[in-house]
Amino acid sequence: MSIAVYPGSFDPVTKGHLNIIARAAKSFDRLIVCVMVNSDKHPMFTLEERVEMLRRVTAGMDNVEVDYSDILLAEYARSRGAHVIVKGLRVISDFEREFQMAIINHKLNPELDTMFLTAEHQFMYLSSSIVKEMGRYQADLEDFLPEEIIPDFLARIHNTN
Ligand code: ADP
């Protein structure tokens, strides 16, 4: 069985993430979307909220599972029997960091390879942080966030303003 892991912060999940999930799910028997606990960041949504929103927006995708992890990605992949990490590549600025991470992960776990999917043009400049910024200025969010989570996002923005 081919198993891949798609890791990220997903704070919150955007349409760009969802596009990568849907495309990657077609190429593997099982895709594990994994919310990585990153102690450097101050997330808008808790780990549990991010996992729950991801589960909600991927509910119709039979071979997609949502999980979280606070261990090294290479170790997590090994523990789940995954041989591929899926990453989305947006602008050129993503490339250097992703290239470095792919090499390190392969060194830590030689069974593991990273595969990149290029962002679709309409999501090329979309990131969770841009969405958070736009949300503060009442921008229309439909092009950026899955419909199901827009109420959660608006509630959080209004509570923190
Ligand atoms: P963000 O940068 O939006 O906070 P994450 O850290 O959650 O995103 O990113 C998880 C993965 O999803 C990374 O591989 C990232 O390159 C990819 N990704 C994020 N946004 C997009 C997008 N709009 N299109 C394609 N891939 C994306």
Side-chain angles (χ1 to χ4, degrees):
M1 177 150 105
S2 63
I3 305 175
V5 177
Y6 175 40
S9 309
F10 306 105
D11 185 40
V13 56
T14 67
K15 282 196 167 173
H17 293 130
L18 204 51
N19 176 261
I20 297 289
I21 293 171
R23 287 159 63 203
K26 289 189 201 149
S27 299
F28 301 95
D29 296 323
R30 186 164 200 76
L31 179 71
I32 305 170
V33 181
C34 187
V35 182
M36 302 304 291
V37 179
N38 181 347
S39 55
D40 292 345
K41 291 191 179 172
H42 299 285
M44 169 181 264
F45 292 96
T46 66
L47 178 63
E48 291 74 18
E49 288 169 332
R50 284 178 276 156
V51 167
E52 188 279 323
M53 287 189 284
L54 272 165
R55 289 201 173 128
R56 222 188 301 155
V57 301
T58 58
M61 302 178 185
D62 289 345
N63 63 337
V64 174
E65 171 191 336
V66 180
D67 195 11
Y68 61 89
S69 170
D70 61 359
I71 61 172
L72 265 180
L73 180 57
E75 287 306 320
Y76 175 79
R78 195 198 311 270
S79 76
R80 298 298 314 266
H83 295 288
V84 172
I85 294 173
V86 170
K87 288 287 186 122
L89 269 189
R90 287 164 292 189
V91 284
I92 302 289
S93 52
D94 275 348
F95 183 77
E96 199 171 318
R97 171 86 185 145
E98 294 297 352
F99 194 84
Q100 187 182 25
M101 290 306 301
I103 290 172
I104 291 174
N105 282 323
H106 187 67
K107 184 168 168 52
L108 291 171
N109 176 354
E111 307 270 283
L112 190 59
D113 267 308
T114 302
M115 292 190 186
F116 295 99
L117 285 175
T118 49
E120 279 193 29
H121 66 94
Q122 69 271 39
F123 305 128
M124 195 83 187
Y125 291 96
L126 181 57
S127 69
S128 297
S129 44
I130 290 280
V131 175
K132 284 181 242 179
E133 222 171 299
M134 288 188 304
R136 295 197 177 96
Y137 300 101
Q138 280 86 45
D140 195 354
L141 298 169
E142 272 168 36
D143 288 344
F144 311 119
L145 291 180
E147 204 183 329
E148 302 94 312
I149 71 153
I150 292 180
D152 305 66
F153 182 79
L154 290 175
R156 185 59 46 94
I157 287 277
H158 293 313
N159 283 341
T160 51
N161 271 347

